[in-house]
Amino acid sequence: MPARKPKITVVAERTEICKNCRFSDYKRGEEIKCRRNPPSFVYDVATGCTAVAWPLVDADSWCGEYKCQLNS
Ligand code: SF4
């Protein structure tokens, strides 16, 4: 009986992440804003103030709306 081949697991690194998405607004040293949709009102419970803001995302996060960067 032939020996079983060892099972090989390939772990691919995801590249479809917020950092690479055309909708991300990233400036060095700042948080990444997702500009896929218009900004929303946010309410700060501590101050009672409202503001308009885009969602902040992590560089390696992703969502189903991901689109790759456009070549210019
Ligand atoms: S949340 Fe989605 S649409 Fe927004 S930057 Fe990340 S992948 Fe792109």
Side-chain angles (χ1 to χ4, degrees):
M1 181 179 225
R4 292 182 115 183
K5 291 183 180 176
K7 192 173 184 179
I8 298 173
T9 304
V10 177
V11 179
E13 187 173 325
R14 175 177 279 277
T15 58
E16 297 91 0
I17 55 177
C18 293
K19 187 175 79 175
N20 302 329
C21 177
R22 79 171 65 164
F23 301 118
S24 66
D25 179 13
Y26 173 73
K27 293 181 184 74
R28 184 176 281 260
E30 293 184 10
E31 295 164 310
I32 300 176
K33 296 174 188 147
C34 173
R35 293 188 184 255
R36 172 67 180 89
N37 294 303
S40 340
F41 279 101
V42 290
Y43 176 71
D44 187 341
V45 177
T47 63
C49 295
T50 56
V52 178
W54 279 273
L56 300 177
V57 294
D58 292 326
D60 56 354
S61 291
W62 60 276
C63 82
E65 297 294 326
Y66 171 88
K67 294 275 190 271
C68 62
Q69 299 278 344
L70 295 172
N71 292 331
S72 50

